[in-house]
Amino acid sequence: MPAEILINAFHMNTIGHQSPGMWTHPRDRSRDYTRLDYWCNLARTLERGLIDGLFLADVLGVYDVYGGTPDTALANAVQVPVNDPCLIIPPMAMVTQHLGFGVTCTLSFEPPYPFARRMSTLDHLTDGRIGWNVVTGYLDSAAKGMGASAQVTHDRRYDMAEDYMQVVYKLWEGSWEDGAVLADKSTRRFADPARVHRVRHDGPFYKLDAMHLSEPSPQRTPVLYQAGASGRGRQFAAAHAECIFINGPTRQAIKPYVKALREAARAAGRDPADLKILTLATPIVGRTTAEAREKHADYLKYVSHQGALALMSGWLGIDLSKLGLDDVLRHIKTEAIQSALEGFTTADPDRQWTVRQLAEHAAIGGRSPVLVGSATDIAAEMIDWVDETGIDGFNLAYVVMPESFEDLVDLVVPELQTRGRYKTAYRPGTLREKLYGHPRLPSNHPAAASRR
Amino acid sequence: MPAEILINAFHMNTIGHQSPGMWTHPRDRSRDYTRLDYWCNLARTLERGLIDGLFLADVLGVYDVYGGTPDTALANAVQVPVNDPCLIIPPMAMVTQHLGFGVTCTLSFEPPYPFARRMSTLDHLTDGRIGWNVVTGYLDSAAKGMGASAQVTHDRRYDMAEDYMQVVYKLWEGSWEDGAVLADKSTRRFADPARVHRVRHDGPFYKLDAMHLSEPSPQRTPVLYQAGASGRGRQFAAAHAECIFINGPTRQAIKPYVKALREAARAAGRDPADLKILTLATPIVGRTTAEAREKHADYLKYVSHQGALALMSGWLGIDLSKLGLDDVLRHIKTEAIQSALEGFTTADPDRQWTVRQLAEHAAIGGRSPVLVGSATDIAAEMIDWVDETGIDGFNLAYVVMPESFEDLVDLVVPELQTRGRYKTAYRPGTLREKLYGHPRLPSNHPAAASRR
């Protein structure tokens, strides 16, 4: 029996996430991101569609590479303003019972001790529906917000992340034993002190000598997400991540990457099937193919090409404002441009790709493939992606909020269900139980070494 | 017309807050602190009683001074486990419209850049109902959690706090001008970049070169709370705080302190009436005086004297387990003991105060005065406190959750209303508008210097 497809909805506590300019669409409501009911309505919609999780991106900085200023990002609401992602989760948990929440937290800028408590608190309040997307930060502007002149180097960031993970594993898995909490009114003993342990850690970057402040939450360690695409990032993900987000323009492009990730997991001593690999995509769905195309054409009237270039400049670390709109990217021999091109051009290898075309392409869905079609078209395409590449599912971006996710839930999910490729009810239990059938990380995961 | 009395309810994202052992009472529900409905029910109760705010304490450490271990605190659930206080606020905001939320955040352990965003996010999500209790941390165990061997010295902590405040004021007040957000779909401009400013700060402890990530929230700077009791703490509070929490056993004991605080505010160039001073108290209310006394007697069966000594040892920084239960405290000539005694003995100057008596006293309401009586008794006593000392109101701790706050709302508030000393409806607007009638900090507050 072919596997059921996993679906996460992709959002961010901001206005223009992956499709710059779309906040100006008459039906778009993303400007209401500061309101609790905006998020609660989204959560209800996703749970109605049995969506596995809401994945919340985050950046602790602004897109100021384009033109050397944040002006374009500000004028077009390109991932700025951006609010804290953790605080919108408990209210969404209140109005749902099953939806998972994957939250991006940049470990470079917060000490592990209070962070571990924050995650445990979220896991308690959501009854075990929390995932953590482990990010080491990628904008220089974020580093400047913390008082540094620039980021620490890429590899050093991963060394810090390794050390950080050891600390939080010890707090989550090793401080309070199972059964340490008695909570017995008759014997008047809340906890058995002999089963609560002080964590001692003396690593290259982090030191700690303290017990975890939170009692064990349903999952202890939250479900671990990672999106590292570099060699070092891939190695980190293969060792630690349970869910990995990837991105590529075509099935052909991601297939070898999926294989490499599973091999890296095996090399790290884990079961390759324990990695849930989700690829980014942006669906535009109609009741018919024609309606979807009309919708796409309508959306294109509201995109911001400048916003797209600000986003791409931040992602690539290259100021695209210095190029002419008609410059052909293939002629620019920097590694970042060529690697970006490798992404886009696989889909259309004969295209010349000017800066203008890049902007047009990225203005809907950023770097992700845009899938346009009827629910039948989209369901078939999603199934093809899964079956041809070995991914487990998708991380789906919106174009117009909440329309895109309503279309997903009302049109695409039933079509996938008809084909036997989507669940018809949530599984019981925590996020990890829903994904894997077991509540805790398996014994071959590095976190297990921190247990007593 | 005599002023209306302000009331905050005092709680913490933990089980045993100020009355150790009371979690074992048959009617106590505080063990449910990990559940969203526990907090939402509390918020609804408080709003039903027109309570001004819920004040959430926090510690990022454990009470391990008593016996040199956290064992007593763990066995009796004395402020441990303790979860993050920020995350329970958005769900409570969802089920209320007016209740304010004062949250304790220890600035020593979190960089100002992400913290400022967290507070702005809370202020957005609550429609401007956030207060921040500025704390510099007071447990060595918390410092050890951050990798330090002990805390930085008291005065240096306040120097750091001064520098920290300058950074967050600049982010909240000076980065986005009023009117910077256009959010105009027709002109397709979200923000006017000319009116969004990068904050540059190069202080003795903190450096920053970044714009604030959040657009202006209803209050910009949250309502500022402080509880510093030392000379340096008082000076900090007089300069920055809008609400100050104090604690003393009697009217006589706090009266000069209230006067000194208002004088310090005047010396700092502020209007002394702009300080709202709330004193801590723990009411035990019955429908009659006799019923209240019976309730008190019943409660006393569930207290934990050992828990109380663990709490007091942490607060005093003295291991009380090294003393005999019948040792007379007056004979112990350390400054901390004598200063603690000064608190308790004013109420009963002839008492000898053994360690056992201290434990019995502190087991309900910690160091706060316990008010036992009918609603009429309590209302009269509260009015006397306000009129005789010049305080603005109370920070009221619970003994049994939610019973204590239900008694407050159902019995005491109506009695205060009858006497014309409590509002009969919430004022409109943000927390600051409710307290002061104006939405922003006044121009004589130090935050105003960061405005453009």
Side-chain angles (χ1 to χ4, degrees):
Chain A
M1 203 177 71
E4 286 174 355
I5 293 173
L6 295 174
I7 298 181
N8 270 1
F10 193 29
H11 208 317
M12 186 168 179
N13 197 349
T14 193
I15 297 167
H17 181 202
Q18 295 277 306
S19 297
M22 288 312 302
W23 69 274
T24 62
H25 191 281
R27 293 193 299 274
D28 187 85
R29 295 286 167 268
S30 60
R31 199 273 167 273
D32 294 337
Y33 77 104
T34 58
R35 307 202 55 80
L36 286 166
D37 55 0
Y38 173 83
W39 295 105
C40 290
N41 289 337
L42 169 62
R44 284 190 196 97
T45 299
L46 297 177
E47 183 147 301
R48 174 160 62 79
L50 308 177
I51 300 302
D52 294 288
L54 171 63
F55 174 54
L56 292 165
D58 190 30
V59 286
L60 260 169
V62 291
Y63 287 80
D64 59 3
V65 175
Y66 185 75
T69 77
D71 292 4
T72 303
L74 281 164
N76 295 284
V78 178
Q79 300 194 3
V80 64
V82 54
N83 278 350
D84 185 287
C86 292
L87 293 163
I88 54 177
I89 292 174
M92 288 193 283
M94 253 183 83
V95 300
T96 55
Q97 283 197 293
H98 295 285
L99 183 68
F101 301 98
V103 62
T104 300
C105 296
T106 309
L107 56 77
S108 315
F109 301 142
E110 181 165 40
Y113 184 58
F115 173 73
R117 183 177 73 148
R118 196 186 315 280
M119 284 294 112
S120 294
T121 304
L122 280 174
D123 202 47
H124 276 297
L125 294 174
T126 61
D127 281 325
R129 291 189 274 151
I130 283 294
W132 169 34
N133 178 34
V134 187
V135 165
T136 63
Y138 63 98
L139 289 175
D140 270 349
S141 60
K144 284 180 189 161
M146 310 302 287
S149 57
Q151 296 213 57
V152 294
T153 60
H154 184 82
D155 276 8
R156 187 178 159 90
R157 287 213 314 272
Y158 276 103
D159 290 341
M160 291 179 71
E162 278 291 347
D163 198 28
Y164 195 100
M165 296 309 287
Q166 295 311 316
V167 180
V168 293
Y169 290 155
K170 286 178 185 176
L171 289 166
W172 287 327
E173 302 283 338
S175 187
W176 296 63
E177 291 181 32
D178 288 340
V181 175
L182 310 167
D184 186 340
K185 287 193 178 192
S186 62
T187 61
R188 300 178 51 77
R189 279 172 71 83
F190 177 75
D192 177 358
R195 300 170 85 175
V196 183
H197 308 280
R198 207 148 134 181
V199 165
R200 288 190 176 81
H201 182 85
D202 190 0
F205 301 96
Y206 299 100
K207 293 186 201 326
L208 184 92
D209 180 8
M211 51 168 280
H212 190 33
L213 293 169
S214 301
E215 61 180 297
S217 66
Q219 301 187 115
R220 289 184 174 258
T221 299
V223 172
L224 297 169
Y225 296 63
Q226 232 270 328
S230 66
R232 189 72 174 82
R234 194 186 306 184
Q235 186 188 326
F236 182 88
H240 296 279
E242 299 175 85
C243 298
I244 300 192
F245 295 122
I246 63 171
N247 184 19
T250 62
R251 288 161 272 198
Q252 295 74 19
I254 65 166
K255 188 175 178 176
Y257 188 54
V258 172
K259 192 158 173 263
L261 278 170
R262 298 214 191 271
E263 277 165 9
R266 193 193 311 273
R270 298 175 64 201
D271 181 345
D274 276 355
L275 281 191
K276 303 293 182 195
I277 303 177
L278 309 181
T279 198
L280 184 62
T282 305
I284 297 176
V285 191
R287 276 161 302 176
T288 62
T289 310
E291 191 187 80
R293 289 196 181 133
E294 278 162 35
K295 210 180 253 186
H296 188 200
D298 172 57
Y299 288 172
L300 285 171
K301 294 183 215 153
Y302 298 93
V303 299
S304 165
H305 293 151
Q306 276 221 317
L309 291 177
L311 206 54
M312 291 300 299
S313 294
W315 286 336
L316 299 174
I318 289 173
D319 180 359
L320 294 169
S321 78
K322 291 189 175 155
L323 306 180
L325 281 175
D326 296 312
D327 284 2
V328 174
L329 289 169
R330 211 178 291 283
H331 301 161
I332 302 156
K333 300 290 180 196
T334 72
E335 197 187 325
I337 290 275
Q338 290 312 314
S339 128
L341 269 183
E342 201 180 311
F344 293 114
T345 52
T346 320
D348 189 357
D350 297 327
R351 198 162 167 181
Q352 280 299 306
W353 288 100
T354 62
V355 171
R356 187 191 311 279
Q357 287 168 337
L358 181 74
E360 286 167 1
H361 183 90
I364 287 188
R367 284 173 296 189
S368 74
V370 178
L371 315 180
V372 183
S374 67
T376 320
D377 301 335
I378 302 283
E381 192 161 0
M382 287 172 72
I383 291 169
D384 282 352
W385 276 72
V386 169
D387 292 347
E388 288 182 26
T389 65
I391 56 170
D392 300 281
F394 295 87
N395 193 29
L396 297 179
Y398 66 91
V399 185
V400 167
M401 260 300 292
E403 178 168 297
S404 297
F405 290 133
E406 288 169 351
D407 288 346
L408 169 68
V409 160
D410 295 328
L411 303 175
V412 179
V413 164
E415 197 64 40
L416 288 170
Q417 285 169 327
T418 301
R419 292 158 186 246
R421 297 304 291 270
Y422 204 75
K423 64 186 168 301
T424 53
Y426 281 110
R427 287 195 190 82
T430 64
L431 178 57
R432 183 173 287 116
E433 282 172 295
K434 286 176 167 67
L435 289 171
Y436 293 104
H438 51 77
R440 301 279 165 84
L441 281 162
S443 57
N444 59 356
H445 187 279
S450 299
R451 290 182 193 141
R452 282 165 191 273
Chain B
M1 204 176 70
E4 286 174 356
I5 293 173
L6 296 174
I7 299 181
N8 270 2
F10 193 30
H11 208 317
M12 188 168 177
N13 197 349
T14 194
I15 297 167
H17 181 203
Q18 296 277 305
S19 298
M22 289 311 302
W23 69 274
T24 61
H25 191 281
R27 292 193 300 274
D28 188 85
R29 295 285 167 270
S30 59
R31 199 274 167 274
D32 294 338
Y33 77 104
T34 57
R35 308 202 53 80
L36 286 165
D37 56 0
Y38 173 84
W39 295 105
C40 290
N41 289 337
L42 169 63
R44 285 190 196 97
T45 298
L46 297 177
E47 183 146 302
R48 174 160 62 79
L50 308 178
I51 300 301
D52 294 289
L54 172 63
F55 174 54
L56 292 165
D58 190 30
V59 288
L60 260 168
V62 291
Y63 287 80
D64 59 4
V65 174
Y66 184 77
T69 77
D71 292 3
T72 303
L74 281 164
N76 295 284
V78 178
Q79 300 195 5
V80 64
V82 54
N83 278 349
D84 186 288
C86 291
L87 293 163
I88 53 177
I89 292 174
M92 288 193 283
M94 254 183 85
V95 299
T96 55
Q97 283 196 295
H98 295 284
L99 183 68
F101 302 97
V103 62
T104 300
C105 297
T106 310
L107 55 78
S108 314
F109 301 143
E110 181 165 40
Y113 185 58
F115 174 73
R117 183 177 74 148
R118 195 185 319 279
M119 284 293 111
S120 294
T121 305
L122 280 174
D123 203 47
H124 277 296
L125 294 174
T126 61
D127 281 325
R129 292 189 274 149
I130 283 294
W132 169 33
N133 178 34
V134 186
V135 164
T136 62
Y138 63 98
L139 290 174
D140 269 351
S141 60
K144 285 180 188 160
M146 310 302 288
S149 57
Q151 297 214 55
V152 294
T153 59
H154 183 82
D155 275 8
R156 189 178 158 90
R157 288 213 312 270
Y158 275 103
D159 290 341
M160 290 179 72
E162 278 291 346
D163 198 28
Y164 196 101
M165 297 308 289
Q166 295 311 315
V167 180
V168 292
Y169 289 154
K170 286 179 185 176
L171 290 166
W172 287 326
E173 303 283 337
S175 186
W176 294 64
E177 291 180 31
D178 287 339
V181 175
L182 311 166
D184 186 339
K185 287 193 179 194
S186 62
T187 61
R188 300 179 49 78
R189 280 173 69 82
F190 177 75
D192 177 358
R195 300 170 84 173
V196 182
H197 308 280
R198 207 148 134 180
V199 165
R200 289 190 177 82
H201 182 85
D202 191 359
F205 301 97
Y206 299 99
K207 291 185 202 324
L208 184 93
D209 180 7
M211 52 168 279
H212 189 34
L213 293 168
S214 301
E215 61 180 296
S217 66
Q219 301 187 117
R220 287 184 175 258
T221 298
V223 172
L224 297 169
Y225 295 64
Q226 232 270 328
S230 65
R232 189 73 174 79
R234 194 186 307 183
Q235 185 189 327
F236 182 87
H240 297 278
E242 299 175 85
C243 298
I244 300 191
F245 295 122
I246 64 171
N247 183 19
T250 62
R251 288 161 271 198
Q252 295 73 15
I254 66 167
K255 188 174 177 175
Y257 188 54
V258 172
K259 191 157 173 264
L261 278 170
R262 298 214 192 272
E263 277 165 10
R266 193 194 310 274
R270 298 174 64 201
D271 182 344
D274 277 355
L275 281 191
K276 303 293 183 195
I277 304 177
L278 309 180
T279 199
L280 184 62
T282 306
I284 297 176
V285 191
R287 276 162 302 176
T288 62
T289 310
E291 191 188 80
R293 289 196 182 134
E294 279 162 32
K295 210 180 253 185
H296 188 200
D298 172 58
Y299 288 172
L300 286 170
K301 293 183 214 152
Y302 299 93
V303 299
S304 165
H305 293 152
Q306 277 220 318
L309 292 177
L311 206 54
M312 290 301 299
S313 294
W315 285 337
L316 299 175
I318 289 173
D319 181 359
L320 294 170
S321 78
K322 291 190 176 155
L323 306 180
L325 281 176
D326 295 312
D327 284 2
V328 174
L329 290 170
R330 211 178 291 283
H331 301 162
I332 302 156
K333 298 292 179 196
T334 73
E335 198 186 326
I337 290 276
Q338 292 310 316
S339 128
L341 269 183
E342 201 179 312
F344 292 114
T345 52
T346 320
D348 189 357
D350 296 329
R351 198 162 167 181
Q352 279 299 308
W353 287 100
T354 61
V355 171
R356 188 191 311 279
Q357 287 168 337
L358 181 74
E360 287 166 1
H361 183 90
I364 287 187
R367 283 173 295 189
S368 74
V370 179
L371 314 180
V372 183
S374 68
T376 320
D377 301 335
I378 302 283
E381 192 161 0
M382 287 171 72
I383 291 169
D384 282 350
W385 275 72
V386 169
D387 292 348
E388 288 181 27
T389 65
I391 57 170
D392 299 282
F394 295 87
N395 193 29
L396 297 180
Y398 68 90
V399 184
V400 167
M401 260 298 292
E403 179 168 297
S404 297
F405 290 133
E406 288 169 352
D407 288 345
L408 169 69
V409 160
D410 294 329
L411 302 175
V412 179
V413 165
E415 197 63 41
L416 288 170
Q417 285 169 328
T418 302
R419 293 158 186 246
R421 297 302 292 268
Y422 204 74
K423 63 186 170 301
T424 52
Y426 281 110
R427 287 195 190 82
T430 63
L431 178 57
R432 183 173 287 115
E433 282 172 295
K434 286 177 167 67
L435 289 171
Y436 293 104
H438 51 78
R440 301 278 166 84
L441 280 161
S443 57
N444 59 357
H445 187 279
S450 299
R451 289 180 194 145
R452 280 163 193 274

